[in-house]
């Protein structure tokens, strides 16, 4: 990757910067309305959701706290390994908090299902899921998000925090990766 041009690996732009900003704005407005009398704690799942989280929290107009959690579920490939490991846990207790998990994309659902179980056991007041993207046809467990930015087709996408092999997170839009990149 070093010295390469990221853009040449992109087959097409799926969601532009302008579209992303509209999607995130709408989610922020909805969350602000529905959580206005609650003790909102946004929990961002690293690293894929950092950019979404940073933009979403600025579209939320009510008081809230934030925290971060890191898990590993994917190796360097494009398919779930089924193994989920906590790499960084939350800093504080979530007891009594109204948790909103902020995730980049729901694919098989395995990662979030696992995280949700762990967090539920810690007695938050409520727990909901906000995912920027959803690939419903790929689901392998019974899990639904409460807030969905956009449904996406069954293609491997990168940018706006989403990676392939840890690269492309800094693309400002959502692109579909050329198949030649991951079949190499
Ligand atoms: P799941 O456990 O199969 O739902 O996987 C969810 C995680 O896989 C996401 O948080 C992403 O890190 C990664 N992922 C799934 N689909 C894509 C994609 O199209 N592009 C980039 N990452 C993806
Ligand atoms: Mg990832």
């Amino acid at each position: 990757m070093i010295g390469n041009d990221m853009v040449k690996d992109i087959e097409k732009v799926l969601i532009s910067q302008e579209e992303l900003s509209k999607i995130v704005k709408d989610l922020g407005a909805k969350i602000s309305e529905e959580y206005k009398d609650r003790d909102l704690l946004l929990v961002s799942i690293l690293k894929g959701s950092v950019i979404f989280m940073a933009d979403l929290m600025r579209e939320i107009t009510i008081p809230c706290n934030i925290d971060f959690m890191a898990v590993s579920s994917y190796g360097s490939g494009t398919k779930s390994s089924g193994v989920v490991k906590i790499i960084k846990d939350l800093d504080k207790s979530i007891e009594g908090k109204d948790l909103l998990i902020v995730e980049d994309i729901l694919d098989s659902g395995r990662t979030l299902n696992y995280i949700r179980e762990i967090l539920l056991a810690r007695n938050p007041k409520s727990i909901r899921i906000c995912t920027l993207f959803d690939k419903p046809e790929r689901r392998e467990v019974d899990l639904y998000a409460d807030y969905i930015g956009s449904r996406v087709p069954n293609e491997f996408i990168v940018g706006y925090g989403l990676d392939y092999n840890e690269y492309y997170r800094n693309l400002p839009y959502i692109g579909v990766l050329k198949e030649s990149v991951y079949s190499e």
Side-chain angles (χ1 to χ4, degrees), residues 126-150:
S126 67
I127 185 159
R128 281 184 173 174
I129 294 168
C130 174
T131 187
L132 180 56
F133 301 117
D134 190 14
K135 285 182 184 168
E137 66 206 77
R138 297 259 303 171
R139 203 73 90 254
E140 290 167 23
V141 295
D142 201 16
L143 187 81
Y144 305 89
D146 302 279
Y147 300 93
I148 299 168
S150 177

mmCIF file of all heavy atoms in Angstrom, residues 126-150:
data_model
loop_
_atom_site.group_PDB
_atom_site.id
_atom_site.type_symbol
_atom_site.label_atom_id
_atom_site.label_comp_id
_atom_site.label_asym_id
_atom_site.label_seq_id
_atom_site.Cartn_x
_atom_site.Cartn_y
_atom_site.Cartn_z
ATOM 1 N N SER A 126 -31.006 0.935 29.632
ATOM 2 C CA SER A 126 -31.496 0.484 28.324
ATOM 3 C C SER A 126 -30.311 0.331 27.387
ATOM 4 O O SER A 126 -29.226 0.881 27.631
ATOM 5 C CB SER A 126 -32.494 1.492 27.743
ATOM 6 O OG SER A 126 -31.831 2.709 27.427
ATOM 7 N N ILE A 127 -30.525 -0.414 26.332
ATOM 8 C CA ILE A 127 -29.446 -0.597 25.359
ATOM 9 C C ILE A 127 -30.048 -0.687 23.966
ATOM 10 O O ILE A 127 -30.989 -1.432 23.723
ATOM 11 C CB ILE A 127 -28.576 -1.831 25.729
ATOM 12 C CG1 ILE A 127 -27.380 -1.984 24.813
ATOM 13 C CG2 ILE A 127 -29.365 -3.092 25.745
ATOM 14 C CD1 ILE A 127 -26.289 -2.839 25.441
ATOM 15 N N ARG A 128 -29.520 0.158 23.091
ATOM 16 C CA ARG A 128 -29.982 0.165 21.712
ATOM 17 C C ARG A 128 -28.781 0.231 20.782
ATOM 18 O O ARG A 128 -27.669 0.526 21.220
ATOM 19 C CB ARG A 128 -30.857 1.386 21.445
ATOM 20 C CG ARG A 128 -32.271 1.248 21.960
ATOM 21 C CD ARG A 128 -33.018 2.471 21.542
ATOM 22 N NE ARG A 128 -34.430 2.431 21.819
ATOM 23 C CZ ARG A 128 -35.224 3.470 21.619
ATOM 24 N NH1 ARG A 128 -34.735 4.602 21.137
ATOM 25 N NH2 ARG A 128 -36.500 3.388 21.878
ATOM 26 N N ILE A 129 -29.038 -0.019 19.516
ATOM 27 C CA ILE A 129 -27.960 -0.057 18.529
ATOM 28 C C ILE A 129 -28.196 0.961 17.420
ATOM 29 O O ILE A 129 -29.296 1.047 16.870
ATOM 30 C CB ILE A 129 -27.862 -1.473 17.916
ATOM 31 C CG1 ILE A 129 -27.420 -2.480 18.986
ATOM 32 C CG2 ILE A 129 -26.907 -1.492 16.721
ATOM 33 C CD1 ILE A 129 -27.575 -3.929 18.565
ATOM 34 N N CYS A 130 -27.159 1.719 17.133
ATOM 35 C CA CYS A 130 -27.198 2.642 15.996
ATOM 36 C C CYS A 130 -26.084 2.244 15.037
ATOM 37 O O CYS A 130 -24.908 2.330 15.376
ATOM 38 C CB CYS A 130 -26.977 4.068 16.479
ATOM 39 S SG CYS A 130 -26.833 5.270 15.137
ATOM 40 N N THR A 131 -26.451 1.762 13.869
ATOM 41 C CA THR A 131 -25.422 1.381 12.897
ATOM 42 C C THR A 131 -25.518 2.284 11.674
ATOM 43 O O THR A 131 -26.615 2.606 11.214
ATOM 44 C CB THR A 131 -25.533 -0.112 12.503
ATOM 45 O OG1 THR A 131 -24.403 -0.458 11.694
ATOM 46 C CG2 THR A 131 -26.797 -0.423 11.710
ATOM 47 N N LEU A 132 -24.371 2.693 11.180
ATOM 48 C CA LEU A 132 -24.384 3.546 9.990
ATOM 49 C C LEU A 132 -24.873 2.751 8.781
ATOM 50 O O LEU A 132 -25.690 3.224 8.009
ATOM 51 C CB LEU A 132 -22.981 4.113 9.756
ATOM 52 C CG LEU A 132 -22.821 5.030 8.544
ATOM 53 C CD1 LEU A 132 -23.793 6.210 8.579
ATOM 54 C CD2 LEU A 132 -21.378 5.545 8.455
ATOM 55 N N PHE A 133 -24.359 1.518 8.653
ATOM 56 C CA PHE A 133 -24.748 0.689 7.510
ATOM 57 C C PHE A 133 -25.248 -0.675 7.963
ATOM 58 O O PHE A 133 -24.815 -1.199 8.985
ATOM 59 C CB PHE A 133 -23.573 0.488 6.555
ATOM 60 C CG PHE A 133 -23.029 1.779 6.026
ATOM 61 C CD1 PHE A 133 -21.730 2.161 6.305
ATOM 62 C CD2 PHE A 133 -23.827 2.624 5.264
ATOM 63 C CE1 PHE A 133 -21.233 3.372 5.831
ATOM 64 C CE2 PHE A 133 -23.338 3.829 4.795
ATOM 65 C CZ PHE A 133 -22.036 4.202 5.081
ATOM 66 N N ASP A 134 -26.123 -1.230 7.158
ATOM 67 C CA ASP A 134 -26.666 -2.550 7.445
ATOM 68 C C ASP A 134 -26.677 -3.381 6.162
ATOM 69 O O ASP A 134 -27.079 -2.897 5.105
ATOM 70 C CB ASP A 134 -28.106 -2.398 7.991
ATOM 71 C CG ASP A 134 -28.654 -3.708 8.533
ATOM 72 O OD1 ASP A 134 -27.877 -4.660 8.732
ATOM 73 O OD2 ASP A 134 -29.880 -3.776 8.773
ATOM 74 N N LYS A 135 -26.183 -4.617 6.289
ATOM 75 C CA LYS A 135 -26.273 -5.585 5.183
ATOM 76 C C LYS A 135 -27.182 -6.713 5.668
ATOM 77 O O LYS A 135 -26.694 -7.775 6.072
ATOM 78 C CB LYS A 135 -24.894 -6.193 4.890
ATOM 79 C CG LYS A 135 -23.902 -5.308 4.169
ATOM 80 C CD LYS A 135 -22.615 -6.128 3.935
ATOM 81 C CE LYS A 135 -21.519 -5.315 3.315
ATOM 82 N NZ LYS A 135 -20.210 -6.030 3.372
ATOM 83 N N PRO A 136 -28.500 -6.489 5.656
ATOM 84 C CA PRO A 136 -29.434 -7.444 6.281
ATOM 85 C C PRO A 136 -29.363 -8.862 5.701
ATOM 86 O O PRO A 136 -29.542 -9.836 6.427
ATOM 87 C CB PRO A 136 -30.815 -6.805 6.051
ATOM 88 C CG PRO A 136 -30.628 -5.716 5.070
ATOM 89 C CD PRO A 136 -29.196 -5.322 5.074
ATOM 90 N N GLU A 137 -29.076 -8.973 4.418
ATOM 91 C CA GLU A 137 -29.072 -10.305 3.799
ATOM 92 C C GLU A 137 -27.910 -11.183 4.269
ATOM 93 O O GLU A 137 -27.899 -12.389 4.036
ATOM 94 C CB GLU A 137 -29.063 -10.188 2.269
ATOM 95 C CG GLU A 137 -27.803 -9.593 1.697
ATOM 96 C CD GLU A 137 -28.037 -8.913 0.343
ATOM 97 O OE1 GLU A 137 -28.576 -7.800 0.323
ATOM 98 O OE2 GLU A 137 -27.668 -9.510 -0.680
ATOM 99 N N ARG A 138 -26.940 -10.569 4.958
ATOM 100 C CA ARG A 138 -25.781 -11.320 5.439
ATOM 101 C C ARG A 138 -25.943 -11.825 6.871
ATOM 102 O O ARG A 138 -25.071 -12.509 7.400
ATOM 103 C CB ARG A 138 -24.558 -10.404 5.383
ATOM 104 C CG ARG A 138 -24.197 -9.965 3.973
ATOM 105 C CD ARG A 138 -23.066 -10.751 3.430
ATOM 106 N NE ARG A 138 -21.895 -10.651 4.298
ATOM 107 C CZ ARG A 138 -20.809 -11.386 4.146
ATOM 108 N NH1 ARG A 138 -20.751 -12.270 3.175
ATOM 109 N NH2 ARG A 138 -19.794 -11.229 4.956
ATOM 110 N N ARG A 139 -27.055 -11.480 7.512
ATOM 111 C CA ARG A 139 -27.210 -11.754 8.943
ATOM 112 C C ARG A 139 -27.200 -13.241 9.272
ATOM 113 O O ARG A 139 -27.848 -14.040 8.613
ATOM 114 C CB ARG A 139 -28.489 -11.123 9.471
ATOM 115 C CG ARG A 139 -28.428 -10.892 10.970
ATOM 116 C CD ARG A 139 -27.517 -9.729 11.386
ATOM 117 N NE ARG A 139 -28.276 -8.505 11.425
ATOM 118 C CZ ARG A 139 -28.162 -7.564 10.493
ATOM 119 N NH1 ARG A 139 -27.298 -7.673 9.529
ATOM 120 N NH2 ARG A 139 -28.893 -6.496 10.572
ATOM 121 N N GLU A 140 -26.437 -13.612 10.303
ATOM 122 C CA GLU A 140 -26.370 -15.003 10.750
ATOM 123 C C GLU A 140 -26.936 -15.179 12.155
ATOM 124 O O GLU A 140 -27.082 -16.293 12.629
ATOM 125 C CB GLU A 140 -24.913 -15.498 10.732
ATOM 126 C CG GLU A 140 -24.358 -15.675 9.323
ATOM 127 C CD GLU A 140 -22.852 -15.855 9.318
ATOM 128 O OE1 GLU A 140 -22.289 -16.269 10.352
ATOM 129 O OE2 GLU A 140 -22.240 -15.562 8.278
ATOM 130 N N VAL A 141 -27.190 -14.081 12.848
ATOM 131 C CA VAL A 141 -27.815 -14.150 14.175
ATOM 132 C C VAL A 141 -29.026 -13.219 14.185
ATOM 133 O O VAL A 141 -29.170 -12.370 13.312
ATOM 134 C CB VAL A 141 -26.832 -13.745 15.317
ATOM 135 C CG1 VAL A 141 -25.684 -14.716 15.430
ATOM 136 C CG2 VAL A 141 -26.316 -12.331 15.084
ATOM 137 N N ASP A 142 -29.874 -13.399 15.197
ATOM 138 C CA ASP A 142 -31.118 -12.642 15.262
ATOM 139 C C ASP A 142 -30.863 -11.280 15.919
ATOM 140 O O ASP A 142 -31.027 -11.125 17.123
ATOM 141 C CB ASP A 142 -32.107 -13.471 16.094
ATOM 142 C CG ASP A 142 -33.527 -13.055 15.815
ATOM 143 O OD1 ASP A 142 -33.760 -12.378 14.805
ATOM 144 O OD2 ASP A 142 -34.401 -13.413 16.631
ATOM 145 N N LEU A 143 -30.419 -10.334 15.141
ATOM 146 C CA LEU A 143 -30.061 -9.027 15.706
ATOM 147 C C LEU A 143 -30.530 -7.908 14.779
ATOM 148 O O LEU A 143 -30.335 -7.983 13.564
ATOM 149 C CB LEU A 143 -28.538 -8.942 15.870
ATOM 150 C CG LEU A 143 -28.032 -7.710 16.609
ATOM 151 C CD1 LEU A 143 -28.146 -7.886 18.112
ATOM 152 C CD2 LEU A 143 -26.587 -7.418 16.240
ATOM 153 N N TYR A 144 -31.161 -6.912 15.387
ATOM 154 C CA TYR A 144 -31.657 -5.774 14.600
ATOM 155 C C TYR A 144 -31.144 -4.487 15.202
ATOM 156 O O TYR A 144 -31.017 -4.369 16.409
ATOM 157 C CB TYR A 144 -33.193 -5.755 14.607
ATOM 158 C CG TYR A 144 -33.788 -7.051 14.140
ATOM 159 C CD1 TYR A 144 -34.056 -8.078 15.039
ATOM 160 C CD2 TYR A 144 -34.041 -7.257 12.783
ATOM 161 C CE1 TYR A 144 -34.582 -9.286 14.613
ATOM 162 C CE2 TYR A 144 -34.561 -8.458 12.347
ATOM 163 C CZ TYR A 144 -34.837 -9.468 13.269
ATOM 164 O OH TYR A 144 -35.347 -10.658 12.836
ATOM 165 N N ALA A 145 -30.866 -3.520 14.358
ATOM 166 C CA ALA A 145 -30.460 -2.210 14.859
ATOM 167 C C ALA A 145 -31.693 -1.331 15.029
ATOM 168 O O ALA A 145 -32.676 -1.472 14.307
ATOM 169 C CB ALA A 145 -29.484 -1.559 13.884
ATOM 170 N N ASP A 146 -31.631 -0.446 16.020
ATOM 171 C CA ASP A 146 -32.744 0.475 16.282
ATOM 172 C C ASP A 146 -32.656 1.698 15.377
ATOM 173 O O ASP A 146 -33.660 2.306 15.034
ATOM 174 C CB ASP A 146 -32.713 0.890 17.745
ATOM 175 C CG ASP A 146 -32.788 -0.328 18.663
ATOM 176 O OD1 ASP A 146 -33.900 -0.817 18.874
ATOM 177 O OD2 ASP A 146 -31.728 -0.814 19.120
ATOM 178 N N TYR A 147 -31.440 2.083 15.041
ATOM 179 C CA TYR A 147 -31.212 3.194 14.113
ATOM 180 C C TYR A 147 -30.286 2.691 13.013
ATOM 181 O O TYR A 147 -29.222 2.137 13.294
ATOM 182 C CB TYR A 147 -30.542 4.372 14.823
ATOM 183 C CG TYR A 147 -31.345 4.925 15.971
ATOM 184 C CD1 TYR A 147 -31.136 4.468 17.269
ATOM 185 C CD2 TYR A 147 -32.305 5.915 15.756
ATOM 186 C CE1 TYR A 147 -31.874 4.972 18.340
ATOM 187 C CE2 TYR A 147 -33.040 6.429 16.816
ATOM 188 C CZ TYR A 147 -32.823 5.943 18.099
ATOM 189 O OH TYR A 147 -33.553 6.447 19.147
ATOM 190 N N ILE A 148 -30.687 2.910 11.775
ATOM 191 C CA ILE A 148 -29.876 2.480 10.625
ATOM 192 C C ILE A 148 -29.694 3.674 9.691
ATOM 193 O O ILE A 148 -30.680 4.281 9.262
ATOM 194 C CB ILE A 148 -30.563 1.321 9.876
ATOM 195 C CG1 ILE A 148 -30.730 0.089 10.793
ATOM 196 C CG2 ILE A 148 -29.768 0.946 8.621
ATOM 197 C CD1 ILE A 148 -31.653 -0.973 10.225
ATOM 198 N N GLY A 149 -28.438 3.986 9.400
ATOM 199 C CA GLY A 149 -28.184 5.095 8.480
ATOM 200 C C GLY A 149 -28.627 4.743 7.072
ATOM 201 O O GLY A 149 -29.420 5.448 6.450
ATOM 202 N N SER A 150 -28.127 3.608 6.579
ATOM 203 C CA SER A 150 -28.464 3.191 5.227
ATOM 204 C C SER A 150 -28.235 1.693 5.053
ATOM 205 O O SER A 150 -27.290 1.137 5.615
ATOM 206 C CB SER A 150 -27.572 3.958 4.237
ATOM 207 O OG SER A 150 -27.822 3.536 2.924
#
